[in-house]
Amino acid sequence: MSTATSEVERKYEATSEQQLPALSGLPGVDGEPRRDTVQLSALYYDTGELLLLRAGITLRRREGGDDAGWHLKIPAGTDERTELQLAPDPEHPETEVPREFAELLTAFTRGAALNPVALISTDRERQRLVDAAGTTLAEVVSDVVIAAVPETGTGTDERVWREIEVELAAGDRKLFDAIDSRLTDAGIARSDAPSKLRRALGDAVGGTPPPVRGKKRSAPRTLLLEYLAEQKDNLVTADLGVRRDLEESVHDLRVSARRIRSVLQVYGSSLRDQETVDELIAELRWVGQALGPARDTEVQWSRLVDRLGDAEEIADREVVRARLDEYFSGLAAAARPAALAALNSRRYLDLLAGLDTFLAAVESSEGSDPSKKTVAKTLRTLSKSVHGRVGKAAAATTRAERDELTHRARKRAKRLRYAIESTRSLTPKASARAQKKFKGFQDVLGDYQDAVVAREHILAAVAEDQHSAESSLGLGMLLQRELDRGDALAADLKPEWKSAKKVARKVWK
């Protein structure tokens, strides 16, 4: 299994004549830097279209230094990346990408082969800045880099340059910025290239595309395209988190899929033909459902354990907790493999390809509809639909009827929320206020749905064989709590919608 670390790093341009400034006397640094040299060699891998590099990801097999082996670096914020490392495996072919990394990158590579794209050798002079206890606070290195890049014909193209890297270790951002000031004062400027590979393959990658996709940034078509592209990127990023089993990643992937689906349901027919839109909607619904059990188990396990902790009237809470853990651990053991099977399927890769094709077609086509007037009319119609569904849910005479109608109101309210969100630049202030106000309404709907699903899980846990009467009694008391919770939330539904609608209607007026 790989190990993960957070890498906080800045790169700088430097000529062969430029000298590093003195690095003593910086905040928290004790004495002079500790110096050494190291020779490194790394073979970098990517697809033929450099899909990893375009996503800001680097994959390499390094020799030399303290961390020989496979490295996978993933963007994680400004100046920060997550680095996954695998030590060399004598039983694994040196030039074959480890299966763990290849599977992690599936959503980025779309199943394309990963092959060597550059061999980069580095002669490194390193200065370690340490505190009084000898703990490394930061490293400042001067690298002479030689990159061998295959040419389009035969042979290779060799490129040589010098760069400075500053990597934060146990130090804080104050030290990071102080080093930056020293380098800047010495005439050493920040590099535009985020990685050695990006600099080596700069010509092949091409320039950064302009951020504005349409003729007018305020055109609804442009806003929808940018929103859909952003959510597609978020989905792919969340995919990597799901494969790494990171908290909230399943939720993030499903939310991105739902946002894309909602926008396509509302505006899709004005962007592309209805058949294509319907196919994407169906596949986005499928992937959300495929990951549903994993998210449902995650949420409900935590919810019911918390609810149990508050239920002082339950005498045998430890017994009930053990029963909940037994029940949900069984569900979790099945849910994660099922989710990964979906993400590894051809159907899922076809969905990602379909989204790429859809976005490219919209971007290259002429036109600027839907118009602002059409957007306002659409939002107004959606609002009326939510209003009707909320009214029906509030008027329900049985819990079963109320559960179904509230769920329908929740789905339509989400569609309205994302429709507003995707065109928020048309009415930025009004949309911001509406989004903020919608949170209370969505919280009521979401909590109500969680209470409904919790009841289903409690009944399923009770129905299973071989558990004690004490756990059944305690689960029965938890069930009553969820019923009471649902009744209380139902009473809040109409007032919360009335309040949200009052603010949101300014978006489409």
Side-chain angles (χ1 to χ4, degrees), residues 111-165:
L114 289 165
N115 294 307
V117 293
L119 175 63
I120 299 181
S121 301
T122 304
D123 288 335
R124 171 166 291 178
E125 296 181 1
R126 180 170 57 182
Q127 298 187 44
R128 290 191 300 117
L129 311 183
V130 301
D131 63 12
T135 302
T136 299
L137 302 176
E139 289 186 357
V140 180
V141 303
S142 173
D143 290 341
V144 175
V145 184
I146 304 175
V149 181
E151 292 182 327
T152 53
T154 58
T156 58
D157 177 23
E158 189 171 278
R159 307 178 184 185
V160 182
W161 70 88
R162 180 168 174 251
E163 68 180 35
I164 309 299
E165 288 184 4

Side-chain angles (χ1 to χ4, degrees), residues 460-498:
V462 171
E464 289 183 350
D465 295 333
Q466 298 180 343
H467 56 88
S468 66
E470 291 83 0
S471 67
S472 293
L473 176 61
L475 288 172
M477 297 172 75
L478 268 186
L479 177 64
Q480 187 59 53
R481 274 181 159 251
E482 295 300 335
L483 290 168
D484 294 341
R485 178 63 176 161
D487 292 342
L489 289 165
D492 293 336
L493 188 58
K494 285 189 74 172
E496 286 289 349
W497 165 243
K498 183 178 180 181

Side-chain angles (χ1 to χ4, degrees), residues 101-385:
F101 282 177
E103 289 186 352
L104 283 177
L105 296 169
T106 299
F108 295 92
T109 64
R110 311 295 168 82
L114 289 165
N115 294 307
V117 293
L119 175 63
I120 299 181
S121 301
T122 304
D123 288 335
R124 171 166 291 178
E125 296 181 1
R126 180 170 57 182
Q127 298 187 44
R128 290 191 300 117
L129 311 183
V130 301
D131 63 12
T135 302
T136 299
L137 302 176
E139 289 186 357
V140 180
V141 303
S142 173
D143 290 341
V144 175
V145 184
I146 304 175
V149 181
E151 292 182 327
T152 53
T154 58
T156 58
D157 177 23
E158 189 171 278
R159 307 178 184 185
V160 182
W161 70 88
R162 180 168 174 251
E163 68 180 35
I164 309 299
E165 288 184 4
V166 179
E167 183 173 347
L168 202 59
D172 56 20
R173 289 277 177 171
K174 183 179 179 181
L175 173 59
F176 208 31
D177 292 338
I179 298 172
D180 181 85
S181 295
R182 289 274 179 100
L183 295 177
T184 302
D185 291 344
I188 299 174
R190 291 284 296 273
S191 173
D192 293 330
S195 66
K196 288 180 171 64
L197 183 62
R198 182 64 177 79
R199 181 160 180 173
L201 298 178
D203 295 341
V205 178
T208 302
V212 180
R213 287 185 158 89
K215 295 179 181 179
K216 295 182 179 179
R217 189 171 179 80
S218 60
R221 186 186 191 88
T222 300
L223 297 177
L224 293 172
L225 176 60
E226 291 177 345
Y227 183 83
L228 290 170
E230 176 187 13
Q231 294 308 318
K232 190 266 293 184
D233 290 344
N234 290 345
L235 188 153
V236 172
T237 299
D239 171 290
L240 181 55
V242 174
R243 295 174 191 275
R244 293 181 59 205
D245 201 17
L246 300 184
E247 188 176 358
E248 293 297 307
S249 57
V250 172
H251 172 68
D252 292 342
L253 193 153
R254 295 182 76 229
V255 167
S256 293
R258 189 183 302 119
R259 281 178 162 139
I260 298 171
R261 178 160 54 92
S262 293
V263 170
L264 292 180
Q265 287 169 326
V266 177
Y267 302 115
S269 60
S270 65
L271 299 175
R272 291 287 289 161
D273 63 279
Q274 192 63 54
E275 182 179 357
T276 298
V277 170
D278 288 343
E279 288 176 359
L280 286 175
I281 289 171
E283 294 307 281
L284 288 162
R285 181 180 291 111
W286 162 76
V287 79
Q289 292 171 343
L291 271 64
R295 176 59 179 170
D296 184 46
T297 300
E298 184 179 81
V299 170
Q300 292 298 329
W301 195 347
S302 176
R303 175 190 175 87
L304 288 176
V305 166
D306 288 345
R307 299 280 282 167
L308 178 63
D310 296 334
E312 297 181 0
E313 70 275 16
I314 299 178
D316 299 301
R317 281 187 287 179
E318 291 185 3
V319 175
V320 179
R321 169 64 189 270
R323 176 63 193 130
L324 287 173
D325 289 345
E326 178 186 38
Y327 170 77
F328 280 110
S329 61
L331 293 182
R336 177 162 174 77
L340 291 177
L343 297 186
N344 288 326
S345 69
R346 184 73 251 172
R347 182 176 182 179
Y348 175 67
L349 293 181
D350 287 344
L351 166 61
L352 296 180
L355 288 172
D356 287 341
T357 301
F358 177 87
L359 292 171
V362 174
E363 186 170 7
S364 63
S365 63
E366 296 294 329
S368 59
D369 44 295
S371 65
K372 294 181 181 180
K373 184 177 180 180
T374 302
V375 170
K377 182 179 178 181
T378 299
L379 296 178
R380 189 160 50 246
T381 301
L382 278 173
S383 174
K384 290 178 180 178
S385 178

Side-chain angles (χ1 to χ4, degrees), residues 384-396:
K384 290 178 180 178
S385 178
V386 175
H387 185 82
R389 293 189 179 198
V390 169
K392 289 179 180 180

